[in-house]
Amino acid sequence: MTQNIPAGIPDKIRHFIDGKFVDSVGGEEFDVLDPVTNETYIRASAGQQADIDLAVAAARRAFTDGPWPKMVPRERSRILHKIADIVESRDAQLAELESFDSGLPITQAKGQARRAAENFRFFADLIVAQHDDTFKVPGRQINYVNRKPIGVAGLITPWNTPFMLESWKLGPALATGNTVVLKPAEFTPLSASLWGEIFREAGVPDGVFNLVNGLGEEAGDALVKHPEVPLISFTGESSTGSLIFGNAAPYLKGLSMELGGKSPAVVFADADLESALDATVFGVFSLNGERCTAGSRILVERSIYDEFVERYAERAKNVVVGLPSDPATEVGALVHPEHYAKVMSYVEIGKTEGRLVAGGGRPEGFPVGNFVSPTVFADVAPDARIFQEEIFGPVVAITPFDTDEEALELANNTKYGLAAYIWTSDLKRAHNFSQSVEAGMVWLNSNNVRDLRTPFGGVKASGLGHEGGYRSIDFYTDQQAVHITLNEAHSPKFGAGPSK
């Protein structure tokens, strides 16, 4: 079973440095696989230290000598809106490339392209409306905040919904006047290869945006350790985040890291059960389950537990698994054979840790490729690995609880703390529970729908720092306090001799 190769794929995926598409200095390349067949469909330049050095040098020149950081916000805003216009005009092509490269269902990939455009629009508007504090002591002093771009931002992005998540970092980094070096995930470099042409067409000066493909341990490591890159924004696994934290520490870099998750979805007996089912099924199986905010631990009050498990399993069995390019597909192919092997290993572990009520293997009709049947385990103990560890695939663990206190204990019983979903019609319970749950983001009786003005980030092993809205502006800028005396500067007269 194969999928058609979309139009517009280049002969090779190259770096984009100082306004030009270039090969690696040493000619290094790596294979990019089609997740439906696991066959190589293109080669990509594999960045090394020398390539990162060239990209950082270009970004540094564009920051110190170029017009970008000196533009008034309205000028940069106009260019960011042009970027959004171009992305929107190419949403069909972007979705096809993203779906083909990552295995995401085409209908969900289309949504990601639209969100990418919206990210640029949001920050284009925000930097024009953004203002800083001024404090006055009448007749004595004025204090104001002077906000400045920092320099070269290193952006390291994941392979799930790559184009949209790249826009989430590129938008605020560029809006605030920084220059950037982007290192996309090696599993899914195809859609990122479009950024260079998009930025050039929109009028972004050469060197402001640079892209180096490659492996994390090579290109990513070189970017993190580069002394001329003061900022690193990373989205990915918690273990990789810990490594980046250590490697960036000697340089005292600014870090923003959105890491893994094992988010609870808590369903109380008084919840709207149909709505809770809709949201919790979608929350695990959309984006092939490859989403950091997936509600992959579902905690259900015991009085409705059996009914919920039965209905959930039935829904999971009816989820449409198919080719990513088929508009009817709800779950496509996982991104890469390495990741497929990891997810399937957890499926086998789950068979010893819970009661398998749906899925549990490869779906019929898909003898090759990274296809996994939507898999549901019930009666999962809190110390089970499939309860504790991030699987990042279409696999869910369901566990019963008896009291609000037990539900909260179960919800908080992992090292992660990214998101939480709470389903109840009791308003007091909803707010008290949400404020006690250890999660950076909470959705009450709602699906994962975000307002871009709100902070995005996690606690515990799920992240460091927050982005979104003004939090992104804060991360990508220095805030300099300027103090002005309006009267005499009454300083003690050290060294002036005896007072008279």
Side-chain angles (χ1 to χ4, degrees):
M1 185 169 287
T2 60
Q3 55 179 346
N4 294 327
I5 297 179
I9 290 184
D11 64 314
K12 186 173 77 173
I13 295 174
R14 294 175 169 84
H15 312 309
F16 187 81
I17 298 175
D18 207 12
K20 300 180 183 65
F21 288 100
V22 295
D23 294 324
S24 294
V25 171
E28 297 88 352
E29 296 178 358
F30 64 94
D31 292 333
V32 185
L33 306 184
D34 170 359
V36 168
T37 64
N38 285 331
E39 295 176 356
T40 300
Y41 77 89
I42 199 169
R43 300 272 290 169
S45 297
Q48 310 294 313
Q49 180 73 57
D51 305 294
I52 291 293
D53 287 346
L54 286 175
V56 173
R60 186 66 195 167
R61 283 194 303 273
F63 184 78
T64 56
D65 303 332
W68 189 254
K70 303 177 185 67
M71 286 182 180
V72 297
R74 175 64 72 186
E75 291 182 81
R76 288 198 299 270
S77 176
R78 288 194 184 101
I79 293 176
L80 263 62
H81 274 296
K82 287 181 185 176
I83 294 170
D85 290 340
I86 296 167
V87 170
E88 283 183 344
S89 72
R90 300 180 188 177
D91 64 342
Q93 180 198 20
L94 286 168
E96 285 183 9
L97 297 181
E98 192 89 308
S99 176
F100 180 84
D101 194 33
S102 69
L104 286 178
I106 185 66
T107 52
Q108 296 169 43
K110 285 180 179 175
Q112 299 304 311
R114 289 191 296 271
R115 284 186 62 189
E118 181 57 30
N119 284 335
F120 278 95
R121 292 208 187 284
F122 175 81
F123 287 107
D125 291 338
L126 188 61
I127 57 162
V128 175
Q130 186 263 333
H131 61 89
D132 288 304
D133 294 322
T134 301
F135 305 97
K136 183 172 70 171
V137 181
R140 297 180 64 182
Q141 193 177 56
I142 290 177
N143 314 276
Y144 68 88
V145 175
N146 177 36
R147 191 181 290 272
K148 302 187 289 185
I150 295 173
V152 181
L155 312 178
I156 303 175
T157 51
W159 45 257
N160 62 320
T161 64
F163 194 82
M164 189 280 290
L165 287 173
E166 288 152 10
S167 74
W168 174 237
K169 298 180 187 297
L170 287 166
L174 295 175
T176 47
N178 297 282
T179 58
V180 303
V181 177
L182 170 66
K183 206 298 283 185
E186 58 265 32
F187 286 174
T188 55
L190 181 59
S191 61
S193 68
L194 298 176
W195 283 120
E197 186 179 311
I198 290 170
F199 285 136
R200 196 157 54 189
E201 185 177 332
V204 176
D206 291 349
V208 170
F209 168 78
N210 304 274
L211 182 152
V212 178
N213 295 292
L215 308 183
E217 57 267 32
E218 295 172 354
D221 188 61
L223 183 59
V224 168
K225 293 177 179 175
H226 201 291
E228 292 292 313
V229 180
L231 292 175
I232 296 290
S233 177
F234 169 75
T235 300
E237 290 182 322
S238 299
S239 57
T240 307
S242 296
L243 189 63
I244 289 173
F245 190 97
N247 288 337
Y251 307 95
L252 299 176
K253 299 189 181 219
L255 291 176
S256 177
M257 297 197 289
E258 192 260 286
L259 307 176
K262 191 71 177 178
S263 301
V266 185
V267 183
F268 289 93
D270 62 355
D272 179 330
L273 195 54
E274 192 66 27
S275 294
L277 278 164
D278 288 345
T280 53
V281 170
F282 179 82
V284 172
F285 301 129
S286 60
L287 306 181
N288 298 343
E290 297 165 327
R291 57 187 304 167
C292 53
T293 54
S296 54
R297 295 183 297 136
I298 304 178
L299 313 176
V300 184
E301 193 163 359
R302 195 175 299 275
S303 62
I304 61 167
Y305 180 77
D306 290 342
E307 178 188 358
F308 184 93
V309 169
E310 181 181 351
R311 293 178 63 182
Y312 195 98
E314 186 63 26
R315 292 280 291 272
K317 292 172 185 175
N318 290 323
V319 168
V320 178
V321 180
L323 288 176
S325 57
D326 186 343
T329 294
E330 294 171 328
V331 169
L334 299 189
V335 68
H336 192 273
E338 286 180 20
H339 186 60
Y340 171 81
K342 172 194 169 186
V343 172
M344 290 304 292
S345 73
Y346 275 107
V347 170
E348 294 307 308
I349 291 168
K351 291 175 182 177
T352 69
E353 294 184 331
R355 174 167 56 97
L356 180 65
V357 295
R362 179 182 286 276
E364 290 185 15
F366 295 92
V368 298
N370 307 318
F371 294 92
V372 177
S373 294
T375 298
V376 183
F377 293 103
D379 310 340
V380 178
D383 60 350
R385 288 185 64 186
I386 61 168
F387 187 96
Q388 291 289 336
E389 299 174 18
E390 185 176 40
I391 300 172
F392 220 67
V395 182
V396 65
I398 308 180
T399 300
F401 68 85
D402 290 297
T403 65
D404 290 26
E405 292 75 19
E406 184 186 6
L408 183 62
E409 183 180 351
L410 289 170
N412 291 338
N413 182 25
T414 71
K415 68 178 182 178
Y416 297 105
L418 187 57
Y421 306 88
I422 301 163
W423 291 87
T424 178
S425 60
D426 185 329
L427 188 62
K428 185 185 295 185
R429 169 196 280 154
H431 287 290
N432 286 331
F433 198 98
S434 68
Q435 291 170 31
S436 299
V437 73
E438 294 168 352
M441 299 168 288
V442 181
W443 279 269
L444 300 178
N445 297 324
S446 67
N447 198 3
N448 186 335
V449 177
R450 288 193 49 238
D451 186 320
L452 292 176
R453 294 170 295 182
T454 60
F456 186 98
V459 298
K460 300 194 292 189
S462 286
L464 176 72
H466 289 80
E467 294 189 34
Y470 285 116
R471 281 80 178 179
S472 291
I473 302 295
D474 286 343
F475 176 69
Y476 289 106
T477 56
D478 278 328
Q479 298 178 61
Q480 178 188 61
V482 179
H483 307 277
I484 308 163
T485 298
L486 298 178
N487 212 319
E488 291 184 39
H490 296 289
S491 301
K493 294 183 178 296
F494 278 30
S499 58
K500 296 181 180 178

